[in-house]
Amino acid sequence: MGIDAAGDIPFHRPFIGKEEEEAVLRVLRSGWLTTGQEALAFEGEFADFLQSPREPLFCLAVNSATSGLHLALEASGAGPGDTVLVPSLTFTSTAEVARYLGAEVVFVDVAPGSFLMDPAALERTLDRLSRGLPAYGGLGSNGLKSGTRGGFGPKGKPKAVLPVHYGGLPCDMNAIMDIARRYGVKVIEDAAHAFPSRTESGEFAGTLGDAGVFSFYATKTITSGEGGMVATRDRELAARISIMRSHGIDRAVWNRYTESKASWYYEVVEPGFKYNLPDILAALGRVQLQRAWQFLEERQHIAARYNAAFAGDERFTLPPSGVGNAWHLYPLVANPPLSRNTVIEGLQNRGIGVSVHFIPLHIMPYYRKRQGLDPEDFPESLQRFAGVISLPIWPGMGESRIDRVIAAVKEVSQE
Ligand SMILES: Cc1ncc(COP(=O)(O)O)c(C=O)c1O
């Protein structure tokens, strides 16, 4: 958002050093621009970063997390007649990939006071779907629509659940995996915000489900401009994703040109997609990966400064404290009567960039109309949306910008 001109503080600014410039130049001068050795090396280094003593982790570089989510869901077999469960408080990517495949999206509310999918609501919804009932209705926060009897919303075989590690805060993966296994659904972690996030047991978010998908979009915790990575321990899933990310061709494109016995021969085994990550971007991602821990330390420091500044102030609710949070976002909630929009307007007038994560998907025209939804059907998502302000949190911000954001938030909240 914007450039850092005239003392403005952008919502985000990527940290790009000399090493990133040199890495991109190296690829530009190499004679090979698209997917090749850099992407392969990036996959290996990313897997090493996340490696645990458990089974090997396959990492597949793609051109966005959206592509990665699409590929992982496709490889899980989702299609027409199936349902895919996603939190209502997320970006459109998490849900749209189900629609690409002809499956129906089923929303699950976030837990009371939380930004994360409610395992209890997930279980209630899976119970309804597996009994052939429409997704919403009955008791509980998920899909409670006043005056509705007998349920409403999509029906269909539940195929997959996509928990979102919102802002870098890991979901309760033990609970989600347990529920998903009992109902026989795949778990694809939307880890777009969650690099590197760790659960209480120290395991990396994105490595705990059947697949996890990371984003390297320009504002993310590490960036390649655009890009993503799918991580999975499932060999078959990895093989399918590898083929489908390059047109459904049975071998990686770069091999065709760089193998010692270069071959013109290939076979199309499926109508796949064009989702490969070019080497120019992979080279950038490799350098950023080396900075991941340093970036995290800086974001932790900024979050700690904000927490200390706003703690005990009844106008605000702090983000849930989270060991293992990657702190992609710092979501401060404005408590009534303080108006979220007033705070945002005040900050913008002072040259401070902010954002809102997220406008819940169930109030978006497409899903609202398609599923006959009311805003109150997912009251927790609606409540988080009503108050949330994402403050700037990026490596290189420096103490004086942090001070200015804190002072400005306090000032505009008195207006
Ligand atoms: C929760 C979530 N999932 C997925 C994505 C998609 O990431 P990408 O832009 O790499 O496709 C985003 C992007 O912001 C996101 O916020």
Side-chain angles (χ1 to χ4, degrees):
M1 179 185 288
I3 47 164
D4 193 1
D8 285 359
I9 302 176
F11 171 63
H12 180 82
R13 192 167 69 181
F15 182 99
I16 299 293
K18 211 167 154 27
E19 292 83 352
E20 280 85 348
E21 292 176 5
E22 281 166 1
V24 171
L25 260 180
R26 187 180 69 237
V27 176
L28 291 178
R29 289 173 178 157
S30 74
W32 188 260
L33 304 185
T34 186
T35 307
Q37 298 294 353
E38 292 285 339
L40 199 66
F42 189 27
E43 291 178 342
E45 288 157 9
F46 201 82
D48 285 346
F49 190 105
L50 297 175
Q51 209 60 263
S52 72
R54 295 207 277 151
E55 317 90 80
L57 187 70
F58 302 99
C59 286
L60 297 122
V62 286
N63 60 2
S64 72
T66 308
S67 310
L69 290 168
H70 184 195
L71 289 166
L73 196 58
E74 196 276 342
S76 305
D82 294 330
T83 49
V84 172
L85 292 88
V86 310
S88 37
L89 195 70
T90 187
F91 187 58
T92 188
S93 299
T94 323
E96 73 188 29
V97 296
R99 298 296 305 131
Y100 293 179
L101 295 162
E104 288 296 336
V105 173
V106 165
F107 295 115
V108 177
D109 209 351
V110 293
S114 159
F115 291 94
L116 304 176
M117 180 186 268
D118 183 359
L122 172 66
E123 178 145 25
R124 277 196 299 274
T125 312
L126 281 171
D127 180 61
R128 292 184 63 87
L129 289 169
S130 59
R131 287 189 288 132
L133 298 171
Y136 315 130
L139 295 173
S141 65
N142 201 34
L144 183 67
K145 187 178 188 181
S146 51
T148 301
R149 293 288 174 270
F152 64 103
K155 282 188 192 177
K157 188 175 183 304
K159 196 72 177 187
V161 53
L162 276 68
V164 175
H165 304 299
Y166 173 103
L169 193 65
C171 295
D172 182 349
M173 287 305 293
N174 284 339
I176 289 172
M177 291 307 290
D178 173 58
I179 295 164
R181 291 293 178 250
R182 276 192 279 117
Y183 286 89
V185 300
K186 295 274 188 202
V187 177
I188 299 166
E189 298 171 74
D190 182 335
H193 299 182
F195 187 78
S197 299
R198 281 187 286 189
T199 62
E200 275 171 23
S201 59
E203 293 184 286
F204 284 104
T207 68
L208 302 165
D210 295 286
V213 182
F214 300 89
S215 173
F216 310 130
Y217 177 70
T219 61
K220 295 299 193 290
T221 54
I222 67 167
T223 184
S224 57
E226 297 278 359
M229 192 74 77
V230 184
T232 179
R233 299 182 195 281
D234 184 326
R235 191 175 291 276
E236 278 178 29
L237 218 60
R240 174 81 184 179
I241 290 168
S242 171
I243 287 171
M244 293 304 280
R245 78 174 154 177
S246 47
H247 304 288
I249 289 176
D250 70 343
R251 55 196 303 195
V253 170
W254 74 274
N255 270 343
R256 276 198 288 137
Y257 299 103
T258 59
E259 258 182 356
S260 54
K261 273 198 273 176
S263 165
W264 50 266
Y265 186 77
Y266 63 90
E267 286 181 351
V268 173
V269 293
E270 289 285 348
F273 312 103
K274 171 94 172 118
Y275 284 168
N276 54 301
L277 184 72
D279 270 9
I280 302 174
L281 304 186
L284 192 49
R286 289 180 69 194
V287 180
Q288 291 261 304
L289 180 63
Q290 289 174 18
R291 303 192 196 273
W293 292 122
Q294 174 216 324
F295 284 170
L296 176 64
E297 264 179 41
E298 287 203 44
R299 289 192 305 271
Q300 283 170 333
H301 172 72
I302 299 165
R305 295 263 346 254
Y306 286 155
N307 278 345
F310 304 125
D313 187 331
E314 60 195 24
R315 292 170 299 181
F316 309 111
T317 301
L318 300 189
S321 69
V323 185
N325 193 341
W327 290 111
H328 165 53
L329 301 176
Y330 186 91
L332 186 69
V333 172
N335 295 327
L338 178 60
S339 146
R340 185 268 312 271
N341 291 352
T342 307
V343 177
I344 289 184
E345 214 177 292
L347 291 174
Q348 285 173 340
N349 288 341
R350 285 160 179 76
I352 295 172
V354 289
S355 192
V356 170
H357 297 87
F358 291 97
I359 307 169
L361 290 182
H362 77 277
I363 69 172
M364 289 293 180
Y366 174 74
Y367 293 106
R368 191 164 39 92
K369 286 185 205 146
R370 186 173 180 85
Q371 303 191 1
L373 295 166
D374 280 349
E376 291 75 23
D377 285 333
F378 301 89
E380 291 292 331
S381 298
L382 197 67
Q383 225 182 72
R384 277 330 80 71
F385 163 60
V388 75
I389 308 154
S390 294
L391 298 181
I393 180 164
W394 40 271
M397 255 185 90
E399 299 304 320
S400 66
R401 289 198 191 89
I402 302 170
D403 290 340
R404 275 184 54 202
V405 173
I406 290 170
V409 169
K410 290 190 172 179
E411 193 185 308
V412 302
S413 301
Q414 278 159 4
E415 285 173 357

